[in-house]
Amino acid sequence: MLSAVRSAPTAPDSTGDARRELDAFRKDRTYLGADHARNERRTWIVAGVCAVTLAAQLAGGRLFHSMALTASGLHMAAHVAVLLTAAGAYWLARRLAGDARFAFGAGKVGYLAGFANAVVLAVTAVTIAVESVQRLFQPEAVDYGSAIPLAAAGLVVTLVCVWLLRPARAAEGHHDHDGDLNLSAAHLHLSADAIISGLTIAGLFAGQRFGWSFADPLMGLVGAGLVAQFAYSLIRRTGAALLDVNPAPVLADEIRKRLQVEGARVVDLHVWRLGPGHHAAIAVVADEAPAPVEAYRARLDGLAGLSHLTVEVRRA
């Protein structure tokens, strides 16, 4: 039986050479997304913008007795927590990228933050729903003339933040199925807030124009349902990444296709995600006339998305 992995650096002649080889080895285990620095920078910026908007919305909701505006403010409060968590995850993953305690790097720190933020999104949906139901049965007078402009301003701010946090590949016109789930969580929070803001304005207009006092909390309830749906989707995606559910069936199929030539058979294959755009694979190959392990590894050279590979060869 033959097996091969990328070996650790051998002991060089000098301390300086040893340090350089060790740094190179650790860098090879840095499975951060290609847009890590960009996403981290923009997340910090958007967190600051949302903090200012949060204060304005909560003050306006209490002053003008608008449940929808208060709901938007509560959701923005969750955004601030989410964005700080996301930004902190970027910072932590970058700081721990070369830490030898992490067998496969710190690329999954963002997935952990994304899962936590998805749970926060779900809690926010429940909070908004409860508050909206209470306001349906205990309505309060709403100062529509003052609430509508503030809600519109909140929507504009949110749309700007959504634009700032759009994934880099999406900005280039591509749809990335293996993108940064930490950024996706933050972007989804803001997208949900934009929808809630739009429903807020619709409810306020309906109350002002037609006297439908129920429209304001009803829009908050509809928004809570949409947020819950977003949270469920994000929990599934981040949970799958943390539990190492096969994230790339197409990649696994391509690995099998390249290895199963000239009588070789892949008898066991595991593929899992290491970070945005990075995957690891363990392949066990059975062959009647085993070639050197390097020959099998060479068949997978240049395969996009495959950043770490372990190959084991057995005689069939």
Side-chain angles (χ1 to χ4, degrees), residues 96-128:
L96 297 176
D99 194 321
R101 294 175 299 173
F102 293 86
F104 290 100
K108 280 191 174 181
V109 172
Y111 298 149
L112 185 60
F115 182 83
N117 287 337
V119 173
V120 171
L121 193 62
V123 173
T124 302
V126 174
T127 302
I128 294 175

Side-chain angles (χ1 to χ4, degrees), residues 202-248:
L204 291 172
F205 266 121
Q208 182 185 50
R209 183 68 180 272
F210 304 108
W212 296 347
S213 59
F214 63 85
D216 185 54
L218 182 61
M219 291 298 100
L221 195 58
V222 172
L226 292 174
V227 173
Q229 183 178 358
F230 291 162
Y232 174 72
S233 174
L234 191 57
I235 286 174
R236 287 189 60 186
R237 293 176 62 196
T238 54
L242 292 172
L243 293 174
D244 291 330
V245 174
N246 186 357

Side-chain angles (χ1 to χ4, degrees), residues 154-178:
L155 176 59
V156 171
V157 171
T158 302
L159 289 176
V160 171
C161 293
V162 168
W163 179 82
L164 284 172
L165 282 188
R166 72 199 190 285
R169 288 184 60 81
E172 297 169 359
H174 302 286
H175 181 64
D176 192 355
H177 294 280
D178 186 41

Side-chain angles (χ1 to χ4, degrees), residues 9-301:
T10 56
D13 296 333
S14 66
T15 303
D17 291 340
R19 184 177 295 109
R20 282 191 293 272
E21 286 201 22
L22 182 59
D23 289 342
F25 181 68
R26 288 176 176 174
K27 184 177 180 181
D28 190 50
R29 296 296 190 271
T30 303
Y31 302 118
L32 303 181
D35 303 308
H36 187 93
R38 167 197 179 273
N39 295 344
E40 179 182 359
R41 181 175 61 255
R42 293 197 175 201
T43 303
W44 283 115
I45 293 173
V46 173
V49 173
C50 287
V52 174
T53 307
L54 157 67
Q57 287 181 330
L58 289 182
R62 179 171 294 274
L63 182 63
F64 306 136
H65 306 293
S66 168
M67 182 56 233
L69 193 56
T70 300
S72 184
L74 288 173
H75 195 61
M76 186 61 74
H79 285 334
V80 173
V82 162
L83 290 165
L84 290 177
T85 301
Y90 282 123
W91 174 82
L92 188 62
R94 176 167 46 83
R95 289 292 301 270
L96 297 176
D99 194 321
R101 294 175 299 173
F102 293 86
F104 290 100
K108 280 191 174 181
V109 172
Y111 298 149
L112 185 60
F115 182 83
N117 287 337
V119 173
V120 171
L121 193 62
V123 173
T124 302
V126 174
T127 302
I128 294 175
V130 171
E131 292 291 333
S132 297
V133 170
Q134 290 178 349
R135 192 61 63 87
L136 276 172
F137 291 99
Q138 297 177 351
E140 295 185 12
V142 179
D143 185 350
Y144 296 109
S146 301
I148 291 175
L150 188 56
L155 176 59
V156 171
V157 171
T158 302
L159 289 176
V160 171
C161 293
V162 168
W163 179 82
L164 284 172
L165 282 188
R166 72 199 190 285
R169 288 184 60 81
E172 297 169 359
H174 302 286
H175 181 64
D176 192 355
H177 294 280
D178 186 41
D180 189 336
L181 293 184
N182 188 24
L183 184 72
S184 294
H187 188 264
L188 191 58
H189 270 268
L190 291 172
S191 298
D193 189 70
I195 294 174
I196 288 180
S197 296
L199 293 173
T200 296
I201 295 172
L204 291 172
F205 266 121
Q208 182 185 50
R209 183 68 180 272
F210 304 108
W212 296 347
S213 59
F214 63 85
D216 185 54
L218 182 61
M219 291 298 100
L221 195 58
V222 172
L226 292 174
V227 173
Q229 183 178 358
F230 291 162
Y232 174 72
S233 174
L234 191 57
I235 286 174
R236 287 189 60 186
R237 293 176 62 196
T238 54
L242 292 172
L243 293 174
D244 291 330
V245 174
N246 186 357
V250 174
L251 177 61
D253 290 343
E254 183 64 21
I255 292 174
R256 290 182 182 275
K257 178 182 176 181
R258 293 193 181 194
L259 290 178
Q260 293 187 148
V261 295
E262 300 178 358
R265 292 183 298 106
V266 175
V267 296
D268 195 15
L269 177 63
H270 301 275
V271 179
W272 69 97
R273 186 184 282 113
L274 300 174
H278 297 281
H279 298 84
I282 296 177
V284 180
V285 181
D287 201 339
E288 293 183 358
V293 174
E294 290 74 12
Y296 298 94
R297 293 178 58 86
R299 297 174 186 177
L300 300 177
D301 284 347

